[in-house]
Amino acid sequence: MPETLTPSATVAFLRSPRAIRERCRALLELGLAGRLAHFQVDMSRLPGVADFVLDVTRESYPSLDIPVHSRWGHFDVGGVRRNAQLEARLAALPHAERARAKLDLVITSVLLDAGSGPSWKYVEPGGGTYARSEGLAVASFHMFLSGAFSSDPKQPLQADAEGLRRLSLEALARGFQVTADNPLAGLEGRLALLQGLGRVLPRPGALYDLLAARGARVTATEVLSQVLESLGPIWPGRVTLDGVNLGDVWPHSALGAGDHPDSLVPFHKLSQWLTYSLLEPLEEGGLRVTALDALTGLPEYRNGGLFVDAGVLVPREARLLQEAFAPGAEPIVEWRALTVALLDEVGKSVRERLGMTAEQLPLAKVLQGGTWSAGRKIAAQKRPGGPPPIRIESDGTVF
């Protein structure tokens, strides 16, 4: 990044998928040269990862009809057709209002999706028991349907500013069945995000109107840009530049001095996960989203754990597999950056094996097929209960 960029231009750059890829790729290049402090990179193991990802993909999607990696698939976990239940309740609404309602649901659900911790679970009334991301999805789905995020009892199927700002820790804990015996990591952080959301938008579904104002076609990068601009102020305790909260952006000493923008590595994991999850309702509302592959892979513990467990990323110190780290700790920043860059490489390898183009199999489908499930599967093979190989102290706002 040229040093002549103004602060505002630097902020815009750090909010772009191009910046994510460039900074993460720069750290991968340093890793390949053996110049990183925390991980060695063994690219000889990468073909095996691509083979494993393809095997997992074929198990789940034999016809290779793979959806985009988004929150919507989690809502139907356990073979329960919850999405159809939602569709039935929204059927009488115009397309645009259905899109707004679905954005209300999926935005609140994604913001509640940071790592749950190893022992939390959700027991669905009259149904199954779910943990981790799927459990968080089902819990947030039922909270939404019950009107927990709406200030208007006559309009329960929405989230609005007043309803989100008034949400209490007790109500959130009750909705997620949190008790002393069923603790959920980062509950306060999750509440802060939802309350913050209520301060920046009249309702989450207002993103539909902001994007529709751009025209009937928007790029995935434009969607991400709008998400980052609209939701930027809600992220707590983050790096700021020119008075702007950068969100999921962290320094790494290998790229520059800690007080210089060159050291900053952007990820925007939850914002990109959210962007992927907005595509379906936006298109239902009449907006066509293009250039999906501009977005990057998601640097979270399933994708990142895949590369550690498969031996592509080798920790230089045993403590990386023994201690728990804060999201901003440099080993975690390094791990996440290498994960983003390696996901691009896996995507290329999987497409080559299938003879498909990036348009036919964008990275979002490789993730879904894919790397996330492969990370979970190999973790279950290696450790009882399937926790990730590296532990993060979740504050409920990053992973």
Side-chain angles (χ1 to χ4, degrees):
M1 182 181 63
E3 293 186 5
T4 53
L5 281 181
T6 64
S8 60
T10 302
V11 169
F13 173 74
L14 290 170
R15 283 178 163 175
S16 70
R18 181 170 71 90
I20 300 171
R21 277 202 165 88
E22 286 185 7
R23 296 288 168 91
C24 293
R25 186 74 201 185
L27 283 171
L28 177 60
E29 294 296 335
L30 290 171
L32 292 173
R35 294 170 55 195
L36 290 178
H38 307 290
F39 289 92
Q40 295 174 305
V41 183
D42 183 357
M43 293 297 277
S44 71
R45 298 292 190 98
L46 200 66
V49 172
D51 288 338
F52 182 47
V53 169
L54 187 52
D55 288 343
V56 170
T57 300
R58 288 191 184 280
E59 286 176 16
S60 299
Y61 305 98
S63 66
L64 298 180
D65 183 17
I66 309 167
V68 166
H69 185 59
S70 79
R71 189 57 158 170
W72 295 99
H74 286 170
F75 291 139
D76 281 348
V77 65
V80 180
R81 300 181 68 240
R82 300 178 190 86
N83 282 309
Q85 179 185 352
L86 177 68
E87 291 284 357
R89 293 185 62 174
L90 298 177
L93 298 177
H95 285 289
E97 185 56 27
R98 284 210 298 270
R100 293 185 191 98
K102 288 185 175 182
L103 292 189
D104 287 344
L105 165 61
V106 81
I107 291 170
T108 52
S109 184
V110 167
L111 292 181
L112 289 164
D113 188 50
S116 65
S119 58
W120 177 83
K121 63 183 182 303
Y122 179 80
V123 181
E124 188 171 25
T129 299
Y130 305 100
R132 300 194 181 272
S133 193
E134 290 92 343
L136 295 168
V138 176
S140 58
F141 181 87
H142 284 294
M143 285 193 74
F144 178 80
L145 260 60
S146 73
F149 308 133
S150 174
S151 65
D152 185 355
K154 296 179 181 178
Q155 301 287 339
L157 298 185
Q158 67 176 26
D160 58 55
E162 184 181 350
L164 291 169
R165 291 197 305 266
R166 289 193 328 203
L167 186 67
S168 68
L169 189 67
E170 292 74 20
L172 188 61
R174 188 165 55 251
F176 280 83
Q177 301 176 351
V178 177
T179 65
D181 295 326
N182 192 37
L184 176 63
L187 187 66
E188 293 84 356
R190 295 169 207 271
L191 177 66
L193 288 185
L194 290 191
Q195 292 177 337
L197 181 62
R199 290 191 290 270
V200 299
L201 288 171
R203 64 183 288 190
L207 279 179
Y208 169 80
D209 301 280
L210 293 170
L211 290 164
R214 299 172 182 251
R217 291 167 62 98
V218 292
T219 66
T221 297
E222 289 176 315
V223 178
L224 175 62
S225 176
Q226 187 66 65
V227 167
L228 291 172
E229 180 180 341
S230 297
L231 273 59
I234 76 175
W235 306 109
R238 301 289 187 257
V239 174
T240 60
L241 184 62
D242 197 29
V244 176
N245 183 341
L246 296 178
D248 190 8
V249 179
W250 313 85
H252 193 292
S253 61
L255 296 180
D259 59 350
H260 195 283
D262 282 356
S263 72
L264 297 176
V265 186
F267 298 113
H268 305 305
K269 180 262 173 180
L270 275 177
S271 296
Q272 289 201 92
W273 170 234
L274 180 53
T275 298
Y276 285 132
S277 301
L278 297 183
L279 303 182
E280 182 180 318
L282 288 175
E283 292 187 353
E284 181 176 0
L287 301 183
R288 185 180 175 201
V289 182
T290 63
L292 180 60
D293 222 37
L295 302 182
T296 76
L298 302 180
E300 44 75 53
Y301 64 81
R302 289 305 181 199
N303 288 326
L306 170 64
F307 295 113
V308 174
D309 282 336
V312 179
L313 297 180
V314 182
R316 290 185 178 275
E317 298 178 277
R319 72 184 185 94
L320 295 185
L321 301 176
Q322 298 165 349
E323 301 175 11
F325 295 87
E330 189 167 279
I332 301 302
V333 177
E334 189 169 300
W335 177 39
R336 297 180 77 199
L338 294 170
T339 295
V340 170
L342 290 169
L343 286 169
D344 276 341
E345 298 302 313
V346 169
K348 292 175 190 174
S349 296
V350 169
R351 290 186 203 107
E352 287 172 1
R353 284 159 168 74
L354 294 173
M356 299 175 77
T357 66
E359 290 72 28
Q360 293 170 317
L361 190 67
L363 184 58
K365 294 189 176 185
V366 178
L367 299 176
Q368 176 65 23
T371 57
W372 191 88
S373 297
R376 169 178 279 185
K377 185 172 184 178
I378 196 171
Q381 292 170 353
K382 288 183 172 286
R383 290 170 296 279
I390 296 174
R391 289 186 294 138
I392 303 105
E393 296 171 347
S394 175
D395 65 354
T397 68
V398 178
F399 285 86

